[in-house]
Amino acid sequence: MDVLKLGGTEMINRTKTILAIRRTVCVPVQRIDSEGILLKDNPLDFPYPLMLFQIILLVLISRALYCLLRPLGQTKFVCNLLGGIILGPSLLGHNKALRDKLMFGGKDVGLSDTIARVGVIYSVFLISVKYDMATFKMKAKNGWKISLVGFLFPSAVTSSLVYTNASTISGLSGGTFFLLALTFSLSFTYFPVVAEALDELNLMTSELGQLAMSSATINDIIQWIFTVVHLIVIKRSINDGAKTLVSLLALILFTVFVIQPVIKWIVKRIPDGQEVKDGYVSAMQLMPLVMAFLSDIIGMRPEAGPILLGLVVPNGPPLGAALVQKTEFVVSEIFLPLFFFRVGLTVNVYSVDDWSSFRKLQLMLTMSYVAKIIAVTVIALCCKIRLRNAFLLSMMMSMKGLIELIVYDAWKAVKDIDEQFFTHIVLSALVMTMIASPLVRFLYTPPRASETILSRVRNIQSMPSNSDMFRILCCFHNEESIPNIISLLEASNPTPSSPIYAYVVHAVELVGRAVPRLVPFNTEKQKKKYTRKNSATRQMVRAFDNYLKISSGPVIIQAYTMIAPYKFMHESLFRLADDKFVPLIIVPFHENHPGVVGPSMVAAIRHFNANVQLYSQCTVGILVDRGMSCSLSSVHFSCNVALFFIGGADDREALAFTARMSGNPNVGMTVFRIALRSKLKERNEEEQVAAKLDESLVDEFRLRNIGNDRLDWLEIEVDDSVQLMDAVMNSQGSYDLVIVGRRHADTTLRDKEMSEFVENAELGVIGDIVASSDFCGGQVNVLVIQESRELGYGAFRSGL
């Protein structure tokens, strides 16, 4: 019996040993990269080269689509999503050979899906960095009305359809609160989505675009509150929900009281006007991953941490702008394409098999979009917005983007919706955006283009000579331009009977922010609010404040900081000029101070100046700064000015501005009136009208300056344009400032042949000559005046 027992025990031990041996299996490590085609390895059989191939293919397809569809008004979001869908099972991926052998075999899911998630993490982080909390304070007229009605009405319509048909629509497996989340998501207008779309459509600074973004910010308040509640409610029990709430509060407190002070310390260590050190940028680029890791540890979605981190990073320069500049391109062009690819893989039109459910879902989504369009259009009409613009505003607020895809993908990940429902809701968002974008781009016309010209167009001559105030708007990009702007203001003869009201605007490129802004800098309280990142503006404003103490006459300075993309910065400038009824805008020449601005900035400023000249409703002056400002001190000011008057609308504006300067006892003036003998004999009707206007203004100018020993008037007659240019070159002297018109009555100076000899077309033929190094050794400042193009050469002069 003992033997049997021993034998049985031994048998059991042997069995355990055998089982243990059987559980120890040697599994070969799967390689992620190939040894190369020379060793007969197919690179597309391995995850790493397959992922690279997917990125390359998707980027090429998306870029090709963007080149084809951008002229049709489509956004980059549409092209990226279409690229993912084309590669997915709905099109190319439906072919079994392509799906299994090329890119859709599933062997790369872990690697590419992880990188796609990393792209989402950095994308929401950058969105939060660019998010300006001050947008909640934007006072765009009627924004709150449009926002609330545009959210509540479609929510009511959608919820009635969702709760009525939820049980009959396949693919909806979420609970009651998820149905509410679905309703709200279809009704929300996400601010980052609207801002990105309007930026691509060049409508960010338009009046309708500003109203759309203002309305979207109010939606964002509701969205953030609902997101927090949703994260708590979806937990399995009240205890889990309480833990989630505590975890979220802990993450918020850690971000505010630990991370934010460190970020402020970094910002304080960045010298004024210098770039952020690479070490700081690298550390900040790592932090989104750290915050995503912490969020996942405490049971939150990984995106929660990066969003909170982005909100405490100061937007704009220096830190926010540096992060966006050095991170956004890689994220948007490399990481996010993989996310669109993963979305495309799960969008499968062949998964739609329940057509009854399909029709109900289609009705629900269509009614949701229609309800939002009707709601926004109607409330906009009640706010006295024209029908066409009201409809286009509803289109702006109906566009979808990356945020919606992230939300839909999260629902699919937690099994709240299935593949069929996901396919339908993604395609509906794509179609809605594809319809809305071109409608907005091609049908929206800024209001100023359709308003009566005479009510908006202004010039210096239209200002009465006895006007109680001369208004001028001066734009500058850096502090080096300020001394010559101050000299120009002082030379413009501020007097108690006609003081100068100068609107000085510091133009800052929109980098690291989501919305353009025009910020007044007018009270001591506001000045104290300016933080370390605004110290450059504060120093510039201080220079103007110091000038006010030594000016010879009354000057009022109203300072602004204008933050906008250069491609449509001129619209913000025009809006300010229209509001203040300014007849003259001064902008700096793009080649001023080349050592301060880089080549890319030079090109951007030149494009900005061209837009100002092309679209301005008032007179524009381009100030060429050669670093030779007039002598200005607390006890003395002197300036020597020269004017070349050939004839024409621009020259008359230059003479009108010079007439104001001629009253300044500290300004010496030389006027060269150059006339072509051939034009004295042969003139058409238009030229005769222009000549009469020239003579009338010249006579008035000379009459007002009788007895002015500081004025030298020289008459020069020439036979042709060659002699004219020789006369200009022979008129060199010790000038501080030379004023010329950009265009002239002499048609030979506007011929295409002359353009070949002009290096800077924005200065005109004569302006380009006097601004060159051949004239006075390139040591004289030049002001090139152009009257509004809307007035033309036949403008009526109502006074000097």
Side-chain angles (χ1 to χ4, degrees):
M1 189 71 179
D2 292 338
V3 174
L4 290 174
K5 185 177 181 179
L6 180 62
T9 303
E10 185 177 353
M11 182 68 69
I12 292 172
N13 291 335
R14 287 181 179 180
T15 302
K16 289 182 178 180
T17 302
I18 292 172
L19 291 174
I21 293 173
R22 287 179 179 176
R23 285 197 299 268
T24 306
V25 180
C26 295
V27 179
V29 178
Q30 182 182 7
R31 296 179 54 202
I32 64 171
D33 57 349
S34 70
E35 294 184 357
I37 57 176
L38 296 179
L39 296 180
K40 299 182 180 180
D41 265 356
N42 182 2
L44 300 183
D45 288 335
F46 298 87
Y48 180 64
L50 180 59
M51 181 200 65
L52 298 180
F53 177 73
Q54 291 170 349
I55 294 177
I56 294 170
L57 195 59
L58 182 61
V59 170
L60 290 177
I61 291 177
S62 299
R63 279 295 170 182
L65 289 172
Y66 191 57
C67 293
L68 292 174
L69 298 181
R70 186 182 182 185
L72 301 179
Q74 300 301 337
T75 62
K76 189 177 292 185
F77 162 77
V78 169
C79 300
N80 285 336
L81 184 54
L82 277 177
I85 293 174
I86 289 173
L87 292 177
S90 297
L91 289 174
L92 294 180
H94 189 62
N95 183 282
K96 190 176 185 305
L98 289 174
R99 181 174 64 250
D100 295 338
K101 297 297 182 182
L102 291 181
M103 63 193 100
F104 308 102
K107 47 187 171 291
D108 69 312
V109 170
L111 182 60
S112 60
D113 191 57
T114 300
I115 295 179
R117 299 296 172 183
V118 170
V120 171
I121 287 172
Y122 276 104
S123 180
V124 296
F125 167 69
L126 292 176
I127 288 173
S128 301
V129 170
K130 292 189 286 186
Y131 201 93
D132 191 348
M133 299 302 291
T135 55
F136 289 122
K137 302 179 182 179
M138 289 177 64
K139 298 181 180 179
K141 187 178 180 180
N142 301 317
W144 66 272
K145 298 178 185 178
I146 295 172
S147 175
L148 292 179
V149 174
F151 167 70
L152 294 177
F153 181 74
S155 295
V157 173
T158 307
S159 62
S160 63
L161 294 173
V162 168
Y163 284 99
T164 302
N165 299 287
S167 59
T168 60
I169 297 178
S170 62
L172 274 176
S173 55
T176 303
F177 198 82
F178 167 72
L179 298 181
L180 184 61
L182 174 63
T183 298
F184 282 0
S185 179
L186 292 175
S187 306
F188 275 138
T189 298
Y190 294 98
F191 172 81
V193 171
V194 174
E196 182 179 3
L198 293 178
D199 183 27
E200 286 193 52
L201 297 174
N202 294 335
L203 294 174
M204 184 176 282
T205 58
S206 65
E207 293 182 9
L208 208 60
Q210 291 280 302
L211 181 57
M213 288 189 290
S214 175
S215 303
T217 56
I218 301 172
N219 266 200
D220 273 9
I221 299 175
I222 304 173
Q223 184 260 332
W224 284 111
I225 296 173
F226 180 77
T227 299
V228 173
V229 175
H230 183 236
L231 288 172
I232 298 171
V233 173
I234 61 175
K235 298 302 179 182
R236 289 172 293 183
S237 64
I238 297 177
N239 188 35
D240 289 344
K243 290 179 181 179
T244 300
L245 178 60
V246 171
S247 299
L248 178 60
L249 291 176
L251 186 64
I252 293 174
L253 293 174
F254 174 75
T255 305
V256 173
F257 294 104
V258 178
I259 301 296
Q260 190 174 28
V262 174
I263 293 175
K264 289 182 178 180
W265 176 81
I266 291 175
V267 172
K268 288 180 180 179
R269 291 180 61 88
I270 302 172
D272 288 342
Q274 296 188 17
E275 294 185 356
V276 185
K277 292 182 179 179
D278 290 340
Y280 293 147
V281 175
S282 299
M284 289 304 303
Q285 288 174 329
L286 180 64
M287 283 304 298
L289 298 180
V290 174
M291 295 298 290
F293 178 68
L294 292 177
S295 300
D296 192 69
I297 287 178
I298 63 176
M300 304 291 295
R301 286 196 59 81
E303 294 86 0
I307 290 174
L308 291 174
L309 175 65
L311 291 176
V312 299
V313 174
N315 58 11
L319 187 58
L323 286 173
V324 172
Q325 286 179 324
K326 297 185 178 182
T327 310
E328 188 170 37
F329 181 81
V330 175
V331 172
S332 61
E333 300 298 333
I334 304 298
F335 287 167
L336 273 185
L338 271 179
F339 175 71
F340 285 107
F341 177 69
R342 305 314 303 178
V343 171
L345 279 184
T346 51
V347 173
N348 185 3
V349 295
Y350 299 99
S351 66
V352 179
D353 51 10
D354 187 346
W355 292 104
S356 175
S357 176
F358 172 86
R359 286 191 296 270
K360 293 178 181 179
L361 182 56
Q362 178 66 40
L363 174 65
M364 183 183 72
L365 294 175
T366 302
M367 289 303 297
S368 177
Y369 293 141
V370 171
K372 188 172 187 69
I373 293 171
I374 292 175
V376 174
T377 301
V378 171
I379 189 61
L381 288 173
C382 295
C383 296
K384 298 181 179 180
I385 297 175
R386 292 184 305 152
L387 176 60
R388 180 175 178 175
N389 285 351
F391 172 72
L392 293 176
L393 178 62
S394 69
M395 290 289 102
M396 290 180 182
M397 299 188 67
S398 299
M399 290 189 286
K400 307 299 180 181
L402 178 64
I403 303 296
E404 281 84 0
L405 287 188
I406 294 174
V407 173
Y408 302 158
D409 187 64
W411 291 346
K412 187 175 182 300
V414 296
K415 308 296 184 182
D416 282 335
I417 58 177
D418 65 0
E419 184 180 26
Q420 176 177 329
F421 193 99
F422 180 81
T423 297
H424 200 111
I425 197 170
V426 169
L427 290 179
S428 68
L430 175 64
V431 172
M432 183 67 236
T433 307
M434 291 182 69
I435 295 173
S437 297
L439 287 176
V440 171
R441 177 172 181 180
F442 296 117
L443 295 183
Y444 177 60
T445 303
R448 61 183 176 82
S450 59
E451 292 182 2
T452 304
I453 290 176
L454 293 179
S455 66
R456 302 293 296 274
V457 176
R458 304 165 304 283
N459 62 3
I460 302 173
Q461 299 169 71
S462 66
M463 299 295 106
S465 58
N466 58 350
S467 175
D468 58 347
M469 188 172 293
F470 180 70
R471 300 175 185 271
I472 182 171
L473 193 157
C474 301
C475 179
F476 59 93
H477 305 279
N478 48 65
E479 59 183 338
E480 284 75 14
S481 299
I482 294 178
N484 269 307
I485 291 177
I486 290 176
S487 297
L488 187 65
L489 294 177
E490 182 65 16
S492 299
N493 192 28
T495 62
S497 61
S498 182
I500 291 178
Y501 202 125
Y503 302 92
V504 294
V505 180
H506 180 205
V508 180
E509 185 180 12
L510 181 70
V511 179
R513 291 183 175 94
V515 62
R517 298 178 63 197
L518 183 64
V519 185
F521 195 98
N522 55 1
T523 66
E524 291 300 324
K525 184 177 180 180
Q526 285 175 315
K527 292 176 184 179
K528 291 178 181 179
K529 287 183 178 181
Y530 269 56
T531 60
R532 153 68 177 76
K533 67 181 180 181
N534 300 110
S535 58
T537 299
R538 187 168 61 247
Q539 291 174 4
M540 296 177 191
V541 172
R542 188 180 297 122
F544 287 104
D545 289 340
N546 293 334
Y547 161 63
L548 295 180
K549 300 174 183 178
I550 62 174
S551 63
S552 60
V555 178
I556 302 172
I557 299 290
Q558 171 66 71
Y560 291 86
T561 298
M562 179 175 61
I563 306 169
Y566 273 111
K567 59 184 177 181
F568 41 73
M569 186 180 283
H570 59 283
E571 293 188 0
S572 299
L573 201 68
F574 294 160
R575 194 171 294 116
L576 177 62
D578 287 347
D579 291 342
K580 305 302 181 182
F581 203 70
V582 174
L584 176 61
I585 297 176
I586 301 295
V587 294
F589 186 50
H590 66 274
E591 291 185 357
N592 292 352
H593 317 293
V596 178
V597 297
S600 60
M601 187 68 72
V602 168
I605 294 175
R606 185 172 195 176
H607 183 64
F608 163 68
N609 290 348
N611 285 334
V612 172
Q613 287 185 322
L614 184 60
Y615 300 111
S616 177
Q617 302 277 328
C618 62
T619 298
V620 176
I622 293 185
L623 182 59
V624 181
D625 186 351
R626 298 306 185 194
M628 305 296 290
S629 59
C630 302
S631 174
L632 175 63
S633 66
S634 58
V635 295
H636 179 70
F637 171 76
S638 65
C639 187
N640 194 7
V641 179
L643 168 70
F644 290 96
F645 184 89
I646 301 171
D650 294 351
D651 282 2
R652 290 195 295 273
E653 278 294 277
L655 184 60
F657 187 50
T658 306
R660 182 176 179 88
M661 290 183 173
S662 65
N664 193 324
N666 298 314
V667 174
M669 188 164 295
T670 304
V671 178
F672 299 93
R673 188 184 183 188
I674 305 176
L676 273 76
R677 295 187 182 94
S678 60
K679 291 298 179 182
L680 298 177
K681 299 177 181 179
E682 299 179 1
R683 287 176 177 153
N684 57 35
E685 183 177 353
E686 181 182 349
E687 291 173 340
Q688 290 177 4
V689 173
K692 290 180 180 179
L693 291 173
D694 292 344
E695 290 298 329
S696 176
L697 190 63
V698 167
D699 291 343
E700 187 173 349
F701 178 87
R702 300 188 69 172
L703 182 64
R704 289 180 57 183
N705 285 278
I706 293 176
N708 186 351
D709 57 359
R710 292 171 286 99
L711 171 65
D712 291 329
W713 184 278
L714 302 176
E715 298 273 355
I716 303 175
E717 290 187 1
V718 296
D719 292 324
D720 52 33
S721 58
V722 175
Q723 289 187 10
L724 189 151
M725 289 186 284
D726 289 339
V728 171
M729 292 300 297
N730 293 332
S731 303
Q732 302 182 47
S734 55
Y735 311 123
D736 297 304
L737 176 67
V738 174
I739 303 177
V740 298
R742 180 180 179 231
R743 302 160 299 185
H744 310 281
D746 181 15
T747 55
T748 60
L749 295 177
R750 291 180 281 158
D751 290 340
K752 293 182 179 180
E753 290 77 8
M754 293 297 298
S755 63
E756 298 179 2
F757 304 97
V758 177
E759 184 177 352
N760 300 291
E762 59 268 43
L763 301 181
V765 177
I766 305 301
D768 190 66
I769 293 174
V770 298
S772 67
S773 58
D774 297 329
F775 188 86
C776 297
Q779 298 299 310
V780 60
N781 301 318
V782 179
L783 180 63
V784 179
I785 299 289
Q786 174 190 291
E787 189 183 41
S788 170
R789 286 179 175 268
E790 301 288 356
L791 286 170
Y793 285 92
F796 173 77
R797 183 182 64 85
S798 60
L800 186 54

